[in-house]
Amino acid sequence: MLTAAAKPRIVVSKCIGFDPCRYNGEIVHDKFVARLEPHVEFICVCPEVEIGLGTPRDPIRIVSSGNALKLIQPASGLDLSGKMRGFSSGFLGDLKEVDGFILKNRSPSCGFTDVKVYSGPEKGPVIGKASGFFGGAVLEKFGDRAIEDEGRLRNLNIREHFLTRVFACARFRALRQSSSMQDLVRFQAANKLLLMAYNQTKMRELGGIVANRNRKRVSAVLAEYEKTFREAFHKPPRHASPINVLMHALGYFKQELSAREKRHFLEMCESYRRGRAPLSSAVSILQSWIIRFEWEYLRDQTFFHPFPEDLMALDDSGRGRV
Ligand code: SF4
């Protein structure tokens, strides 16, 4: 279950809704980040302001120079590469307990992918794409966390995967405080269907870690579990995997349901498989049966409530499949 203690900690580019710190003094309004705010703990950062550039300021760009990339401010001729690298490594080195990042796309500082690289400081054409200086440092140090930009998060599937990942990791952080094997066993049981949807190999590995046949210390078991748990959520689930989970859950109600009810549910699963209905349509039918037949084991499964419901806007339900 989601608790106040399980709030994800997310580093966010400060210009996305928190401060008009863009080079031109503007702020980026983003509905998703605004909706997320009450549910998470945001850590806001503007790397360009942190290295002493004022607002507004002359824009900066990434320039190819020999075999290296430099961060240059064409108007002043300043090379900001060293300063930005120094800030990034200090800031990221001090970060503790972080579950994810939402970075400004295309920024030469914050962008983590698809940032333009120019052939020269002033009039040179674009010759390629790279990570921004800060975004690249995030990828290097926190490649096992959920990292997205506000543009990609407009896609329903990318957003769902991001949210599932950060809330799952936050729940684990909350559990780790207790250092209890019993709590870990309960955690593994509650996440079974979610892990089944994401990565069955990792789900079995995690089961083995929890069984602790070699009688390792709790701290060692938790560290091993955390690493494998993060790996399980690295890639989004294959499209068919949640259907397997739904079928597995349907098995619990086999005796109680009428043929018509089962048929309706299977039709809904088929619509999801064909991309004509969101997964949530079939999931909500199952949820109503969980309430009706009081299946406690299923009720506690995070698969049915991986993150707060209001974080998926109705206006993009089912769109933007990748
Ligand atoms: S993209 Fe990053 S560096 Fe640029 S204004 Fe936003 S927070 Fe600051």
Side-chain angles (χ1 to χ4, degrees), residues 12-16 19-24 26 28 44-50 53 55 57 60 84 102-111 134:
V12 60
S13 294
K14 207 174 200 172
C15 61
I16 311 179
D19 194 45
C21 56
R22 295 206 71 200
Y23 71 97
N24 54 7
E26 288 184 358
V28 178
C44 304
V45 62
C46 176
E48 290 178 20
V49 168
E50 292 293 337
L53 301 176
T55 307
R57 55 188 170 275
I60 59 179
M84 188 58 91
I102 300 178
L103 301 173
K104 175 77 191 75
N105 68 357
R106 302 196 196 114
S107 153
S109 304
C110 287
F134 179 74

Side-chain angles (χ1 to χ4, degrees), residues 280-298:
S280 54
S281 312
V283 168
S284 37
I285 297 176
L286 267 175
Q287 278 168 324
S288 70
W289 291 337
I290 291 168
I291 295 168
R292 185 167 133 207
F293 300 116
E294 296 180 356
W295 270 103
E296 214 173 293
Y297 168 72
L298 290 179

Side-chain angles (χ1 to χ4, degrees), residues 12-288:
V12 60
S13 294
K14 207 174 200 172
C15 61
I16 311 179
F18 294 92
D19 194 45
C21 56
R22 295 206 71 200
Y23 71 97
N24 54 7
E26 288 184 358
I27 191 166
V28 178
H29 296 288
D30 188 276
K31 281 190 201 160
F32 173 63
V33 169
R35 217 165 42 227
L36 198 52
E37 203 179 350
H39 299 286
V40 306
E41 188 186 328
F42 275 132
I43 302 158
C44 304
V45 62
C46 176
E48 290 178 20
V49 168
E50 292 293 337
I51 63 166
L53 301 176
T55 307
R57 55 188 170 275
D58 291 311
I60 59 179
R61 56 163 58 174
I62 297 181
V63 172
S64 171
S65 167
N67 289 331
L69 296 179
K70 289 187 172 175
L71 192 62
I72 302 289
Q73 187 173 46
S76 62
L78 282 175
D79 178 351
L80 301 160
S81 316
K83 259 190 170 176
M84 188 58 91
R85 283 200 186 99
F87 166 74
S88 302
S89 103
F91 176 83
L92 298 174
D94 287 345
L95 259 190
K96 297 213 171 59
E97 307 288 11
V98 65
D99 301 304
F101 294 79
I102 300 178
L103 301 173
K104 175 77 191 75
N105 68 357
R106 302 196 196 114
S107 153
S109 304
C110 287
F112 77 98
T113 178
D114 265 0
V115 181
K116 288 177 182 166
V117 174
Y118 293 86
S119 65
E122 292 197 39
K123 287 193 178 135
V126 175
I127 54 164
K129 297 276 176 79
S131 301
F133 272 54
F134 179 74
V138 168
L139 271 181
E140 211 173 294
K141 185 159 171 61
F142 290 103
D144 62 344
R145 311 298 151 98
I147 305 168
E148 283 300 348
D149 64 47
E150 89 294 0
R152 282 172 49 87
L153 283 171
R154 285 186 207 116
N155 176 283
L156 175 77
N157 284 2
I158 293 175
R159 186 188 311 173
E160 195 163 22
H161 175 49
F162 178 83
L163 289 170
T164 302
R165 221 174 149 186
V166 294
F167 277 93
C169 291
R171 283 192 295 270
F172 181 78
R173 276 195 303 102
L175 158 97
R176 211 179 42 196
Q177 310 288 328
S178 79
S179 292
S180 143
M181 278 305 286
Q182 272 179 344
D183 286 350
L184 183 62
V185 169
R186 273 195 286 273
F187 182 84
Q188 169 74 359
N191 283 288
K192 180 154 181 218
L193 296 190
L194 189 62
L195 288 164
M196 191 187 278
Y198 262 81
N199 189 325
Q200 296 205 18
T201 308
K202 293 290 172 194
M203 178 191 78
R204 282 188 284 271
E205 259 180 58
L206 289 163
I209 295 169
V210 173
N212 194 20
R213 289 190 188 88
N214 296 330
R215 298 187 167 276
K216 293 182 185 165
R217 292 158 68 104
V218 180
S219 57
V221 174
L222 287 171
E224 200 182 338
Y225 189 94
E226 179 170 17
K227 181 174 174 294
T228 310
F229 188 71
R230 283 193 200 288
E231 287 166 359
F233 290 97
H234 193 67
K235 285 189 184 155
R238 284 184 300 114
H239 196 55
S241 303
I243 298 181
N244 297 338
V245 175
L246 294 176
M247 291 303 148
H248 176 84
L250 179 65
Y252 284 82
F253 306 108
K254 258 199 306 230
Q255 310 304 325
E256 281 92 347
L257 300 172
S258 70
R260 240 171 115 182
E261 283 175 309
K262 279 187 241 175
R263 196 165 54 243
H264 175 60
F265 178 73
L266 293 175
E267 281 166 6
M268 203 53 94
C269 291
E270 181 59 15
S271 298
Y272 165 69
R273 197 181 64 74
R274 290 170 181 266
R276 292 187 191 142
L279 180 63
S280 54
S281 312
V283 168
S284 37
I285 297 176
L286 267 175
Q287 278 168 324
S288 70

